[in-house]
Amino acid sequence: MGRATVADIKGRDFSELDKEAKANTENTNKGSNTNKNRNTTTSDSRGRKNRRRQKKTMVVHPVQRLFDACKDVFAHAGTGFVPPPDKIEQLSALLDEIRPVDVGLSPRMPFFSPQATRRAPTITYLHIHECEKFSMGIFCLPPSGVLPLHNHPGMTVFSKLLFGTMHIKSYDWVVGAPSASAVAEPSQTQRSEVRMAKVKVDSNLTAPCKTSILYPADGGNMHCFTAVTACAVLDVLGPPYSDLEGRHCTYYLAYPFTKFSGDEQVSIPDEEKDKYAWLQERDKPEDLVVEGALYTGPVIREN
């Protein structure tokens, strides 16, 4: 129902314009009796000619342009796919230009309001599109909302902060580093392996800012988002998560580098140790609540 309403209200902006009506080609009566009639006939004729010359064009919304570009860039996407540099630049440039209003968002919407609850604030997800090759969607976080540390296996991800301030902490695996063992959770006695990772980003981002990009093996493939203020993030994933193809979302706990004995097997200067950590797989956090809501931005034409 929401999509239909948007289409009705903004239909002329985002759908193909009607073809121009056929102009009347019949000549007016020759031999007009007065100069006034001659001038009127000439004016009408010129007007029809001008209208014939006009080419009505289709208004292509920024989200439609992004969708069309994703179809091209991720046409052959599979696990581990990384677009060529020129395609990465193309998608980044399109995302950099997208504003909250372009996707039907306003900071005044109810899911951005502070939440008085003991639980972690509820996060809202607006689904725009998903197919086998890529997905597009928006995470809406109220103040203090957290998307816990998680990975993006074999995926290239573009994240555009639409408004607000968000803290991002991201990691990449250290290839060839030793592993260690740790207690999985305080309430559990089972020990599980932890892997060494290096901090890629640990800072605040405030909109407007450039699009962030992560890759299958670098760029901060595992990240955590924390809303400093209410904020919204437009994500493009290529390819998207798929349990059938081995791309399932895994959550992690992060421990200081000096916590486990494995750090003795790695030679890292003391002043650099805060740039490393041990990551341990965990179950999806019980207090993580992500609810879906209707995307009310411009409707995408898929054909």
Side-chain angles (χ1 to χ4, degrees), residues 174-251:
V174 177
V175 179
S179 60
S181 61
V183 176
E185 296 280 358
S187 59
Q188 299 175 359
T189 57
Q190 182 181 0
R191 300 179 72 84
S192 64
E193 185 178 82
V194 294
R195 292 180 60 186
M196 184 178 169
K198 184 175 183 179
V199 176
K200 179 69 176 181
V201 177
D202 186 7
S203 62
N204 287 348
L205 289 182
T206 299
C209 56
K210 292 292 186 179
T211 298
S212 300
I213 310 170
L214 62 84
Y215 303 96
D218 57 21
N221 186 275
M222 296 154 289
H223 65 203
C224 172
F225 289 168
T226 303
V228 179
T229 69
C231 55
V233 184
L234 170 58
D235 269 357
V236 173
L237 283 63
Y241 289 107
S242 171
D243 289 340
L244 291 177
E245 297 183 16
R247 298 188 302 273
H248 55 271
C249 184
T250 301
Y251 294 91

Side-chain angles (χ1 to χ4, degrees), residues 258-275:
T258 55
K259 183 175 180 66
F260 303 114
S261 59
D263 72 305
E264 299 172 359
Q265 306 173 45
V266 184
S267 178
I268 295 178
D270 288 342
E271 62 272 17
E272 295 288 320
K273 289 185 176 180
D274 61 344
K275 298 179 181 179

Side-chain angles (χ1 to χ4, degrees), residues 110-300:
F111 36 74
F112 294 115
S113 300
Q115 299 174 13
T117 175
R118 295 181 180 179
R119 296 177 60 87
T122 297
I123 295 168
T124 303
Y125 181 72
L126 309 179
H127 169 80
I128 300 176
H129 174 81
E130 182 168 349
C131 61
E132 292 181 355
K133 301 300 183 181
F134 68 95
S135 68
M136 298 166 55
I138 304 171
F139 285 99
C140 305
L141 289 76
S144 302
V146 177
L147 277 174
L149 184 61
H150 61 282
N151 69 346
H152 307 82
M155 301 154 66
T156 298
V157 179
F158 295 76
S159 296
K160 165 63 177 178
L161 183 63
L162 296 170
F163 67 84
T165 298
M166 169 183 289
H167 183 84
I168 299 179
K169 190 163 189 177
S170 64
Y171 304 82
D172 288 314
W173 296 122
V174 177
V175 179
S179 60
S181 61
V183 176
E185 296 280 358
S187 59
Q188 299 175 359
T189 57
Q190 182 181 0
R191 300 179 72 84
S192 64
E193 185 178 82
V194 294
R195 292 180 60 186
M196 184 178 169
K198 184 175 183 179
V199 176
K200 179 69 176 181
V201 177
D202 186 7
S203 62
N204 287 348
L205 289 182
T206 299
C209 56
K210 292 292 186 179
T211 298
S212 300
I213 310 170
L214 62 84
Y215 303 96
D218 57 21
N221 186 275
M222 296 154 289
H223 65 203
C224 172
F225 289 168
T226 303
V228 179
T229 69
C231 55
V233 184
L234 170 58
D235 269 357
V236 173
L237 283 63
Y241 289 107
S242 171
D243 289 340
L244 291 177
E245 297 183 16
R247 298 188 302 273
H248 55 271
C249 184
T250 301
Y251 294 91
Y252 297 91
L253 294 169
Y255 296 101
F257 178 70
T258 55
K259 183 175 180 66
F260 303 114
S261 59
D263 72 305
E264 299 172 359
Q265 306 173 45
V266 184
S267 178
I268 295 178
D270 288 342
E271 62 272 17
E272 295 288 320
K273 289 185 176 180
D274 61 344
K275 298 179 181 179
Y276 293 84
W278 298 99
L279 303 189
Q280 177 187 43
E281 290 187 18
R282 62 176 298 185
D283 294 333
K284 177 183 175 180
E286 294 182 359
D287 60 352
L288 173 60
V289 178
V290 180
E291 296 182 347
L294 182 66
Y295 165 69
T296 58
V299 177
I300 289 175

Side-chain angles (χ1 to χ4, degrees), residues 20-32:
E20 185 177 5
K22 293 181 180 179
N24 184 4
T25 57
E26 295 181 357
N27 293 327
T28 57
N29 245 341
K30 292 181 180 179
S32 299

